Amino acid sequence: MGATSPIRKVGVLGSGVMGAGIAAQVANAGIPVILLDIVKEGGTSRSALAIEALERLQSVKPAAFMSAARSRLVTPGNLEDDLGRLADCDWIIEAVLERVDVKQKVYRAVDSVRKAGAIVSSNTSTIPLATLLEGLPESFAADFLITHFFNPPRYMRLLELVAGPATRPEATAAIRDFCDIRLGKSVVVCRDTPAFIANRIGTYWIEAAVREAFAGGLTVEETDAIAGKPFGFPKTGVFGLLDLVGIDLGPHVAKSLLATLPANDRYRAVHAESVFISRMIESGLVGRKGKGGFYRLDGSGGRKVKQAIDLVTGEYREIRESQLASSRQGGSNGARGFSKGQAMRAVLESPDRGGRFAWKFLSQTLLYALEVAPQIAVDLSSIDEAMRAGFSWKWGPFELLDELGPAWFAAGLAAEGLPVPALLTAVRAGTFYRVEGGRLQQFSLDGSGGYVEVARRPGALLLADVKRAGPPVSKNGSAALWDLGDGVLCLEFTSKMNALDDAILRMVRKAISLVEGESFKALVIANDGENFSVGANIGLVLFAANVALWPVIEASLYEGQQAFKALKYAPFPVVGAPSGMALGGGCEILLHCDAVQAHAETYMGLVEVGVGLVPGWGGCKELATRWATNRERPGGAMPGVAKSFETISTARVSASADEARELLFLRSTDDITMNRDRLLADAKTKALALVAAGYTPPAEVAISLPGASAKAALDMAVAGFRASGAATPHDVVVAARLATVLTGGETDITESLSEEDLLTLERESFLALVRTPATLARIERMLDTGKALRN
Amino acid sequence: MLDYKAPLRDIRFVYYELFDSASLTRLPGFEEASQELVMDVLGEMARFCDGVLRPLNAPGDQEGCHFDAGVVRTPVGFPAAYKQFREGGWTGVVARPEYGGQGLPHIMSVLLTEMMCSSNLSFAMITALTNGAYSALDHHATPELKRKFVPKLVDGTWAATMCLTEPQAGTDLGLVRMKAVATDEIDDGGRAWKLTGSKIFISGGEHDLTENIVHLVLARLPDAPPGIKGISLFVIPKLREAGGKLIPNGVTCGAIEHKMGIKASPTCVINFDGALGYLVGEPHKGMKGMFTFMNGARLHVGVQGLALAEAASQAAVKFARERLQGRSLSGKKSTGGDADPILVHPDVRRMLLTMRAFSEGARALTAWTALEIDHAESDPDKARAEEGDDFASLLTPVVKAFQTDLGFEMTNLAVQVFGGYGFCVDYGVEQLVRDCRITQIYEGTNGVQALDLVGRKLPAHTGRYLRRFFHPVQEFLEAEAANTELAEFVGPVAKAFERLQRATGWITQESLKNPDEAGAASTDYLHLFGYVSLGFLWARMAKVALSALSPEGSRGKGKEELAFYTAKVATARFYMQRLLPRSGSHFAALMAGGSSLMNFPDESF
């Protein structure tokens, strides 16, 4: 879509957390934004509110902007003096106070300045569209819809979209495309009902869990151990989640729901204000933003102790891991040989109070979802997607029901004397989803009892769909190859955390020989995981090092280097398609790809120094070469060397794909996809474009590096960091080895080095470091705790 | 009576020449442990063993213990011997001086223990348990409890036991049923608990050597979670103090077992009937304290295997020199008489050298492990202490199981050397076989040791424990790779070591896919580990001995000394050529995998 998009400039009204966050995400898409808020009298500027919001955006964690440059696309202003600036906006998003009168006042003002056909949308979280439009002209209604973002707008994938009967279909289509393609959102079309989909079910879920936890006499920790990970809910659990979003938010949402929900809604019957929680809010115990919540960190004893509140006495006490047998059933993690559903049922059927609690809160939540589904959504997959993308559930309610077995659940409801919803009766012994002819189908909400396809939007392609359609071309314990059609082969990592190991290297070799054998034209490296790859399996390295199997380590270094090099020089294009973390070896394989199509949320880095090593699979070689041959760098060899050294020695990880460009992890020829679901299709398109353009593999380059003199300079800089305390003793050892590699070892600027020369240097440095106890201690700490050891 | 002389020369070799134990005096608490003091103490123990313990060994075995209406009597002479033992200050050798102990290092204690076990295993058992209880209380008990019990254990007025086993809970202690209920009573030991239940197989559970016996007992609190995570540790005295007097505390001996060996050590059924005791450590975390006890106890059992092998070896050598039968295959070797001593026969020599090479190698391995425990417990350098602890964790199951499996083999070989006489009670070697048999079973069967090694110790911290063994070996092999004089020792060890490396990697990988593979490989792996450990130590001992025999090193050494080093080198050679190859068969067996075990139909057994 790109330049042809009808939306080239956006206005955001209201610079609170949501408005400001939305403005930042629009800027991340490269679109200029006008951010307006009310005039703050007596401020340094009449636009102080928006200006301060922009400042907050630049420092907020996690970052709202994908790179510093993006923030310059946001222009702050105020709703009195700068209203005229909205005149050339194609889309104006209202994100002001959640009050109909306030919102309507803003709409009237906007309507007076907006150009014809400019689209206006509201970010309301609970108010139906029909209510918002009461009394407004038809011409406004034709251009109006609801676009409900989730917090934080950059990271939460859900966008709920509600169009009214008067809304122009072209307006809806334009916003849907823009949010999907440019903002990267998972757009779920909702019916115009209070709180739409995610908050309707999510609020019910949280309240049910909290209510049943108090009723069942569970502790905070026991509750979160059950109403969390076992069912694929966020692993914080509900109390942890409330601490995160703010405990004081609950009563507001409840009030709004009670004001707008239908009279016979189940929520009314079960909602009850908790005196305990009201008292917490009164005392400022509203969660992480306040003085504490259901959990807090207590530093009064000198060291920080994590505490939890006692749900009976209201006193804090040291955190106590749940001892309930039900919370140790494993739930969705399933014990070996058990399906996820069996493991979840084991929790629900546990005879202890944890098991009773689990059944109560989960059965109520699923019952509610079953009852309201036809009112709030056009299909079941919309509801599941909303809960996944908006509340970070691993499975939506209907996917959960399928895991548990709808018939089992219906029997459980009946046994309790609870009503069995029509939808559950209708699906009978079947499931809500099924695979028919290799395609995913869902149970229809139209009452026909039939199934309809789970449709993907044009340009979206999920590896999961490819997998459903047929068997892999090849597969081993850590990787698989899939046929994406049109002659494109896909290499998928399947190991734990997508860590790279020997089996993946073998599959790289196999992929090359398959494509070379002319069964395919191009290779894409992609997966559906949360993270592209966290790097090489350092557990294997540590184990081999512990038993002194040095030759095995050297062989695996060599094989990785050669396999990646073979990718680079293969006679066909190789396109990497990362999303999430691409660290260490995961970054190195991308550095060897002919092109990269990166998801915007890609975090790339050569982080080996964190575990006391240097990149040993060609990462040093590739980054050093990129900086040495970078045409934009100022004269001399040293600045490039200094850049690559700085990037690797500080284990710098890009905060976005945008930033990866600045670090040369990505080249100007590499592209970025905003929507995760479009990544694979875009990568495939890019690969085919390279084929069509008559792909020829790159020529091997020889580079010149400055050698010992430059190493001395880098060593001196590191000595300075050591003296100031910024570097640890082992940092100095690791940095010295890294400097040797990046400056080219025993060379000088008049000589030229081949790739093999640099690879040899990488191996030598790696092997020297892996023999040091300090490096082994770092690897061990990383594996044991996930944190770096600063030794 | 078996001939046995404490191997003081070899002990000195291990302590001061192979390992730099003198450096232990740098650790806090060990400043006084000079070489003179150490050798004096060892010499004193050698005399005690020779004069007091050894003469009681065979009579004690023949008489056994007596049980009469709850009263247990040890064999004639044992109470008097214990009195001497106590008065000699031997009960508190490793205990810290603040409790009245002597604070000597563990490496020394294992060497003392070896002599005692070689002389009289039954007697040594009783005193060793008290040491184990001391260390569990020292690590886990409150200051009040320590004050109440530890000094009496250290000065030997009281003895101690460990009460784990119940009829339904042997290897699987998660099945323990013994009950503990809190009382309102609080005295100088803290809150009293009421304990009820029955324990079996309690070594030294009741006897007439001390005025009181302190039991360390595993039991369950009323709210205990099921399984091993619901076990708590208690200390319960047989007699409790009340008004300055010792009064009965509901602890009685129900019976003693009639056993194959260690007959002078009473193995008791102990009943607790509302006995009052104290909680040691945290509720439900009793296994932690028990593991401290058991690790020490397991090392000690490994020493027993070595000790009995040493006694067997010495007896067999003496017999083989004296017994005249047949002529040498290569022509007669002695002029007088009708026959040569059986020492000339290759197969007899094979047996004698096997016993010797094992005993001396195992002594070195035991000492190394104990030395690392000393670092673990006393080294102010945290990293060094951790290394020591890692090493001891890794090697304890190897020392326990390998040294008792082979100890049993060695005692059997001695019977074989003795021929028909060996089968007769009067010659004493059959007692060694019977006494040794229990060492493969108690303190965790050798099968459990092997599982501990592959299941817990290998994967711990992604193999960190392994580093403490594999790296020193690898460094030695690399450093000596070009040493031609040592090549005949380094070469075979390098080969066996590579097998161990490969087996370690294989087990780790396979057990991820199928845990049964680790179990199927475990015993062969443990033995492979044992042979490689001894191989490494034999190569190092050969190096030390060769340097003592060099023109420079041999200067001023007498004939006897030179013979000692020459024998060392020769024994090392024998080990490399005739024992280390066993590593190959263990390697081949374990790498074959577990399918032949697991695919055999259950109903066909």
Side-chain angles (χ1 to χ4, degrees), chain A residues 341-616:
Chain A
Q342 282 172 322
M344 287 187 217
R345 286 208 297 266
V347 180
L348 295 166
E349 286 171 342
S350 290
D352 64 7
R353 62 176 187 280
R356 289 193 299 276
F357 160 73
W359 167 256
K360 288 229 148 137
F361 92 85
L362 191 72
S363 61
Q364 290 179 44
T365 305
L366 296 177
L367 175 61
Y368 189 64
L370 283 158
E371 280 181 350
V372 300
Q375 302 167 34
I376 63 177
V378 289
D379 54 22
L380 295 179
S381 59
S382 294
I383 296 177
D384 284 339
E385 173 64 10
M387 298 320 292
R388 284 195 312 259
F391 270 78
S392 300
W393 289 13
K394 199 164 172 187
W395 303 284
F398 298 94
E399 290 163 327
L400 271 172
L401 280 164
D402 275 359
E403 293 291 348
L404 294 171
W408 177 88
F409 185 69
L413 289 181
E416 291 245 320
L418 289 164
V420 179
L423 194 53
L424 192 57
T425 313
V427 82
R428 289 198 300 265
T431 49
F432 290 104
Y433 292 91
R434 68 177 189 190
V435 177
E436 232 5 67
R439 301 177 79 89
L440 186 63
Q441 296 185 333
Q442 57 182 317
F443 193 66
S444 171
L445 283 177
D446 64 7
S448 66
Y451 286 79
V452 292
E453 191 151 311
V454 177
R456 305 285 178 219
R457 300 211 69 210
L461 175 62
L462 299 186
L463 198 51
D465 289 337
V466 176
K467 291 178 180 182
R468 258 188 287 270
V473 177
S474 183
K475 185 174 171 31
N476 66 25
S478 301
L481 297 175
W482 300 94
D483 185 348
L484 296 184
D486 304 314
V488 179
L489 186 68
C490 177
L491 168 63
E492 179 201 19
F493 310 143
T494 59
S495 53
K496 196 176 167 202
M497 320 261 287
N498 291 337
L500 304 182
D501 59 13
D502 291 352
I504 288 182
L505 296 181
R506 281 200 300 279
M507 197 55 86
V508 166
R509 293 287 192 180
K510 176 134 199 190
I512 293 171
S513 71
L514 274 175
V515 182
E516 265 181 341
E518 291 178 30
S519 349
F520 294 93
K521 291 186 258 183
L523 177 68
V524 165
I525 305 177
N527 58 69
D528 272 351
E530 194 181 329
N531 294 309
F532 177 74
S533 170
V534 295
N537 186 336
I538 51 172
L540 296 178
V541 176
L542 179 59
F543 200 89
N546 277 332
V547 295
L549 278 170
W550 312 122
V552 169
I553 296 177
E554 181 163 18
S556 128
L557 277 178
Y558 186 76
E559 175 49 26
Q561 291 180 339
Q562 295 307 315
F564 289 2
K565 208 174 146 196
L567 277 180
K568 182 176 174 184
Y569 293 111
F572 54 83
V574 177
V575 177
S579 173
M581 288 189 270
L583 305 178
C587 182
E588 289 178 291
I589 197 170
L590 292 170
L591 291 173
H592 286 82
C593 290
D594 301 304
V596 173
Q597 183 75 37
H599 179 217
E601 301 295 349
T602 296
Y603 317 118
M604 291 179 80
L606 296 170
V607 296
E608 286 83 351
V609 296
V611 289
L613 295 168
V614 295

Side-chain angles (χ1 to χ4, degrees), chain B residues 346-569:
Chain B
D347 196 56
V348 172
R349 299 172 84 86
R350 172 188 65 81
M351 293 191 279
L352 297 179
L353 278 164
T354 299
M355 287 186 266
R356 181 186 187 112
F358 167 71
S359 301
E360 293 181 10
R363 182 171 298 120
L365 180 60
T366 307
W368 187 12
T369 309
L371 184 64
E372 292 298 320
I373 293 175
D374 283 323
H375 280 288
E377 292 189 353
S378 304
D379 207 309
D381 174 355
K382 281 245 164 63
R384 182 66 187 88
E386 184 187 84
E387 284 174 32
D389 199 46
D390 288 356
F391 183 93
S393 299
L394 177 67
L395 266 298
T396 295
V398 178
V399 168
K400 196 278 177 181
F402 181 69
Q403 294 191 179
T404 56
D405 279 352
L406 268 75
F408 184 68
E409 182 191 336
M410 302 308 147
T411 54
N412 246 319
L413 286 179
V415 172
Q416 197 66 24
V417 172
F418 272 72
Y421 295 111
F423 199 60
C424 298
V425 172
D426 292 347
Y427 287 80
V429 283
E430 61 83 36
Q431 186 194 345
L432 298 179
V433 178
R434 287 187 289 106
D435 281 356
C436 197
R437 194 59 189 82
I438 187 62
T439 63
Q440 295 166 280
I441 299 168
Y442 60 17
E443 306 305 350
T445 64
N446 286 0
V448 166
Q449 302 302 317
L451 270 186
D452 178 46
L453 178 64
V454 298
R456 288 213 188 90
K457 305 301 167 61
L458 251 59
H461 304 281
T462 325
R464 189 184 74 205
Y465 296 173
L466 295 166
R467 192 192 311 166
R468 314 308 182 192
F469 175 81
F470 283 73
H471 282 204
V473 174
Q474 175 73 18
E475 280 156 22
F476 175 81
L477 294 175
E478 281 176 17
E480 304 297 340
N483 185 342
T484 49
E485 194 186 25
L486 223 52
E488 60 172 313
F489 308 104
V490 168
V493 173
K495 206 163 151 189
F497 181 61
E498 200 197 316
R499 289 187 184 125
L500 182 64
Q501 287 175 305
R502 282 174 54 198
T504 307
W506 185 86
I507 290 177
T508 311
Q509 256 172 353
E510 293 303 310
S511 61
L512 286 180
K513 292 180 224 154
N514 178 5
D516 275 338
E517 286 296 346
S522 61
T523 290
D524 280 302
Y525 179 76
L526 184 143
H527 279 250
L528 172 59
F529 210 125
Y531 283 111
V532 172
S533 308
L534 261 54
F536 167 59
L537 289 167
W538 269 117
R540 282 183 57 185
M541 291 196 279
K543 189 185 171 194
V544 173
L546 283 169
S547 113
L549 290 170
S550 70
E552 247 172 274
S554 61
R555 201 168 300 144
K557 286 199 168 74
K559 215 171 112 195
E560 214 174 311
E561 277 292 281
L562 294 177
F564 174 81
Y565 292 112
T566 308
K568 265 287 173 228
V569 176

Side-chain angles (χ1 to χ4, degrees), chain B residues 141-315:
Chain B
T142 58
E144 293 80 40
L145 279 181
K146 286 186 202 172
R147 265 201 299 281
K148 194 171 170 71
F149 291 109
V150 173
K152 300 253 192 205
L153 295 179
V154 170
D155 74 12
T157 352
W158 296 357
T161 74
M162 57 204 274
C163 300
L164 283 64
T165 310
E166 295 174 13
Q168 79 292 347
T171 293
D172 186 355
L173 290 171
L175 302 175
V176 157
R177 285 187 199 142
M178 175 117 172
K179 281 198 169 55
V181 185
T183 71
D184 296 332
E185 206 175 306
I186 293 178
D187 61 20
D188 58 346
R191 176 172 305 281
W193 294 70
K194 206 167 233 173
L195 287 110
T196 306
S198 201
K199 294 284 180 180
I200 62 164
F201 294 168
I202 308 307
S203 294
E206 174 59 31
H207 54 68
D208 51 1
L209 304 182
T210 54
E211 65 169 30
N212 198 3
I213 298 172
V214 176
H215 302 283
L216 283 183
V217 182
L218 292 184
R220 251 176 222 294
L221 270 46
D223 66 339
I228 201 80
K229 287 183 174 167
I231 304 281
S232 305
L233 178 63
F234 291 87
V235 52
I236 310 170
K238 174 173 91 172
L239 305 172
R240 68 190 165 93
E241 290 168 302
K245 281 201 306 203
L246 289 173
I247 62 165
N249 185 30
V251 182
T252 52
C253 176
I256 61 172
E257 307 293 342
H258 303 279
K259 315 186 294 286
M260 176 179 176
I262 54 166
K263 294 186 180 209
S265 162
T267 304
C268 307
V269 174
I270 301 291
N271 299 315
F272 299 85
D273 186 9
L276 293 180
Y278 308 92
L279 182 65
V280 179
E282 288 173 59
H284 316 317
K285 303 238 168 101
M287 291 313 290
K288 221 162 131 189
M290 215 16 107
F291 269 121
T292 308
F293 197 148
M294 272 194 286
N295 278 334
R298 286 174 175 177
L299 181 66
H300 188 267
V301 175
V303 175
Q304 295 173 6
L306 150 68
L308 297 175
E310 173 67 33
S313 176
Q314 290 194 25

Side-chain angles (χ1 to χ4, degrees), chain A residues 13 38 79-80 83 94 96 99-112 132 134 136 140:
Chain A
L13 312 180
I38 54 173
L79 281 163
E80 290 175 25
L83 213 51
E94 168 274 308
V96 304
R99 267 172 48 191
V100 179
D101 56 333
V102 177
K103 286 182 189 290
Q104 291 201 334
K105 194 177 151 213
V106 169
Y107 298 155
R108 290 203 170 85
V110 166
D111 206 21
S112 67
L132 292 175
E134 273 166 24
L136 284 160
F140 185 79

